[in-house]
PDB file of all heavy atoms in Angstrom:
ATOM      1  N   LEU D 122    -103.931  91.418  13.392  1.00  0.00           N
ATOM      2  CA  LEU D 122    -104.313  89.919  13.556  1.00  0.00           C
ATOM      3  C   LEU D 122    -103.556  89.353  14.691  1.00  0.00           C
ATOM      4  O   LEU D 122    -104.033  88.513  15.528  1.00  0.00           O
ATOM      5  CB  LEU D 122    -104.130  89.223  12.231  1.00  0.00           C
ATOM      6  CG  LEU D 122    -105.019  89.573  11.071  1.00  0.00           C
ATOM      7  CD1 LEU D 122    -104.666  88.971   9.761  1.00  0.00           C
ATOM      8  CD2 LEU D 122    -106.544  89.266  11.495  1.00  0.00           C
ATOM      9  N   GLN D 123    -102.239  89.575  14.793  1.00  0.00           N
ATOM     10  CA  GLN D 123    -101.398  89.026  15.764  1.00  0.00           C
ATOM     11  C   GLN D 123    -101.898  89.540  17.094  1.00  0.00           C
ATOM     12  O   GLN D 123    -101.766  88.847  18.156  1.00  0.00           O
ATOM     13  CB  GLN D 123     -99.928  89.320  15.578  1.00  0.00           C
ATOM     14  CG  GLN D 123     -99.419  88.396  14.382  1.00  0.00           C
ATOM     15  CD  GLN D 123     -97.954  88.616  14.042  1.00  0.00           C
ATOM     16  OE1 GLN D 123     -97.373  89.675  14.372  1.00  0.00           O
ATOM     17  NE2 GLN D 123     -97.331  87.641  13.408  1.00  0.00           N
ATOM     18  N   GLY D 124    -102.354  90.817  17.171  1.00  0.00           N
ATOM     19  CA  GLY D 124    -102.896  91.339  18.426  1.00  0.00           C
ATOM     20  C   GLY D 124    -104.160  90.674  18.885  1.00  0.00           C
ATOM     21  O   GLY D 124    -104.418  90.630  20.098  1.00  0.00           O
ATOM     22  N   LEU D 125    -104.777  89.965  18.004  1.00  0.00           N
ATOM     23  CA  LEU D 125    -105.903  89.180  18.323  1.00  0.00           C
ATOM     24  C   LEU D 125    -105.581  87.658  18.533  1.00  0.00           C
ATOM     25  O   LEU D 125    -106.371  86.744  18.677  1.00  0.00           O
ATOM     26  CB  LEU D 125    -107.067  89.270  17.363  1.00  0.00           C
ATOM     27  CG  LEU D 125    -107.604  90.558  17.002  1.00  0.00           C
ATOM     28  CD1 LEU D 125    -108.560  90.414  15.733  1.00  0.00           C
ATOM     29  CD2 LEU D 125    -108.407  91.108  18.267  1.00  0.00           C
ATOM     30  N   ASN D 126    -104.205  87.557  18.690  1.00  0.00           N
ATOM     31  CA  ASN D 126    -103.697  86.058  18.786  1.00  0.00           C
ATOM     32  C   ASN D 126    -104.070  85.121  17.595  1.00  0.00           C
ATOM     33  O   ASN D 126    -104.221  83.952  17.814  1.00  0.00           O
ATOM     34  CB  ASN D 126    -104.175  85.487  20.109  1.00  0.00           C
ATOM     35  CG  ASN D 126    -103.574  86.201  21.203  1.00  0.00           C
ATOM     36  OD1 ASN D 126    -102.454  86.786  21.162  1.00  0.00           O
ATOM     37  ND2 ASN D 126    -104.166  86.119  22.464  1.00  0.00           N
ATOM     38  N   LEU D 127    -104.290  85.686  16.486  1.00  0.00           N
ATOM     39  CA  LEU D 127    -104.606  84.884  15.396  1.00  0.00           C
ATOM     40  C   LEU D 127    -103.265  84.576  14.615  1.00  0.00           C
ATOM     41  O   LEU D 127    -102.418  85.416  14.483  1.00  0.00           O
ATOM     42  CB  LEU D 127    -105.551  85.601  14.384  1.00  0.00           C
ATOM     43  CG  LEU D 127    -106.959  85.826  14.870  1.00  0.00           C
ATOM     44  CD1 LEU D 127    -107.774  86.737  13.934  1.00  0.00           C
ATOM     45  CD2 LEU D 127    -107.674  84.526  14.975  1.00  0.00           C
TER      46      LEU D 127
HETATM   47  C1  LIG P 203    -103.400  86.899  23.490  1.00  0.00           C
HETATM   48  O1  LIG P 203    -102.678  85.970  24.177  1.00  0.00           O
HETATM   49  C2  LIG P 203    -101.946  86.675  25.365  1.00  0.00           C
HETATM   50  C3  LIG P 203    -101.066  85.612  25.886  1.00  0.00           C
HETATM   51  O2  LIG P 203    -101.658  84.327  26.143  1.00  0.00           O
HETATM   52  C4  LIG P 203    -103.031  87.124  26.299  1.00  0.00           C
HETATM   53  O3  LIG P 203    -102.394  87.826  27.344  1.00  0.00           O
HETATM   54  C5  LIG P 203    -103.920  88.190  25.598  1.00  0.00           C
HETATM   55  O4  LIG P 203    -104.910  88.611  26.326  1.00  0.00           O
HETATM   56  C6  LIG P 203    -104.602  87.562  24.262  1.00  0.00           C
HETATM   57  N1  LIG P 203    -105.205  88.615  23.563  1.00  0.00           N
HETATM   58  C7  LIG P 203    -106.479  88.460  23.074  1.00  0.00           C
HETATM   59  C8  LIG P 203    -107.037  89.621  22.230  1.00  0.00           C
HETATM   60  O5  LIG P 203    -107.077  87.401  23.213  1.00  0.00           O
END
Side-chain angles (χ1 to χ4, degrees):
L122 293 172
Q123 288 179 336
L125 296 176
N126 291 336
L127 293 173

